[in-house]
């Protein structure tokens, strides 16, 4: 399956947390850029893993870290916390899937949580590919709607940079 350019890794991550956030991002509605959690995330991203090559931009992907390890291409996703580990994993799987099917590049993945000193290896299996294809389809259904989904109170709302937009 060719991945539509409108679908990004960030949309995959946000889709799994909040469908409304996914729609808002896809329509270029930006969150509060001065939100402390966004600033903290940018700081951790800038200050972590400086010895590694970082920030590779390919159309709909911004890969945080890329290196070769044991003759294998390894791509990494850096997150401030493992609280949303499953959505971070699926974001990384989306990158691996996109690299494989849109660029012909086979790679392995690693999730990095520098504050927790935690590293999790991620491999793209056939089962994971099916999950990613389903997510791509579901995201497409959401982002092409004229209006965003109604806000739903979830645990992530407390620290969300879109909170004022949804709940004012």
């Amino acid at each position: 399956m060719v991945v539509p350019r409108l679908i990004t890794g960030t949309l995959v991550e946000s889709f799994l947390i909040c469908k409304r956030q996914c729609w808002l991002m896809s329509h270029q509605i930006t969150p509060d850029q001065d939100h402390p959690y966004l600033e903290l995330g940018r700081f951790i991203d800038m200050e972590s893993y400086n010895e590694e090559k970082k920030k590779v931009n390919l159309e709909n992907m911004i890969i945080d870290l890329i290196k070769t390890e044991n003759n294998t291409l390894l791509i990494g996703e850096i997150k401030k916390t493992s609280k949303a580990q499953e959505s971070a994993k699926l974001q990384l799987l989306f990158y691996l899937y996109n690299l494989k099917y849109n660029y012909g590049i086979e790679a392995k993945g690693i999730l990095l949580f520098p504050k927790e000193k935690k590293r999790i290896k991620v491999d793209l299996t056939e089962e994971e590919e099916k999950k990613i294809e389903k997510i791509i389809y579901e995201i497409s259904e959401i982002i092409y709607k004229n209006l965003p989904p109604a806000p739903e109170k979830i645990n992530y709302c407390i620290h969300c940079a879109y909170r004022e937009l949804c709940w004012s």
Side-chain angles (χ1 to χ4, degrees):
M1 167 191 268
V2 174
V3 178
R5 289 185 189 156
L6 289 175
I7 298 178
T8 66
T10 305
L11 286 183
V12 170
E13 181 186 31
S14 68
F15 167 80
L16 294 158
I17 294 170
C18 174
K19 311 284 187 268
R20 182 176 174 88
Q21 182 185 75
C22 178
W23 187 94
L24 293 168
M25 284 182 173
S26 73
H27 287 82
Q28 309 304 310
I29 300 170
T30 57
D32 174 8
Q33 293 301 299
D34 296 325
H35 191 278
Y37 283 92
L38 286 180
E39 289 179 354
L40 178 61
R42 284 190 287 263
F43 176 76
I44 289 170
D45 188 53
M46 277 183 1
E47 297 300 316
S48 302
Y49 306 100
N50 286 329
E51 69 282 356
E52 313 284 346
K53 185 176 180 182
K54 292 184 3 176
K55 291 293 179 211
V56 175
N57 292 295
L58 292 168
E59 290 184 278
N60 58 348
M61 299 184 294
I62 300 173
I63 298 170
D64 289 341
L65 181 140
I66 187 167
K67 67 180 186 173
T68 304
E69 198 172 88
N70 300 326
N71 292 326
T72 301
L73 181 64
L74 186 67
I75 64 168
E77 183 63 24
I78 301 169
K79 298 294 182 188
K80 69 179 182 277
T81 177
S82 61
K83 182 179 176 185
Q85 183 174 312
E86 187 59 24
S87 60
K89 176 184 173 188
L90 286 164
Q91 178 182 3
L92 184 54
L93 285 166
F94 170 80
Y95 292 154
L96 295 171
Y97 181 93
N98 201 6
L99 285 170
K100 180 177 179 179
Y101 290 104
N102 285 1
Y103 296 95
I105 298 170
E106 297 273 346
K108 302 256 184 213
I110 188 159
L111 286 173
L112 302 160
F113 305 100
K115 284 180 66 178
E116 300 170 13
K117 296 184 180 4
K118 189 173 181 181
R119 301 166 64 98
I120 299 168
K121 291 186 178 185
V122 176
D123 290 321
L124 183 65
T125 64
E126 283 186 36
E127 183 181 327
E128 301 290 10
E129 285 184 13
K130 288 181 177 132
K131 273 189 206 174
I132 294 300
E133 289 168 355
K134 183 176 188 260
I135 289 168
I136 290 168
Y137 176 78
E138 290 175 4
I139 290 172
S140 296
E141 285 188 322
I142 287 175
I143 66 176
Y144 290 114
K145 290 184 177 180
N146 290 331
L147 296 172
E152 291 180 34
K153 281 263 191 220
I154 58 174
N155 290 339
Y156 292 100
C157 292
I158 295 166
H159 301 296
C160 181
Y162 284 107
R163 190 169 90 196
E164 288 183 33
L165 181 64
C166 293
W167 303 111
S168 299

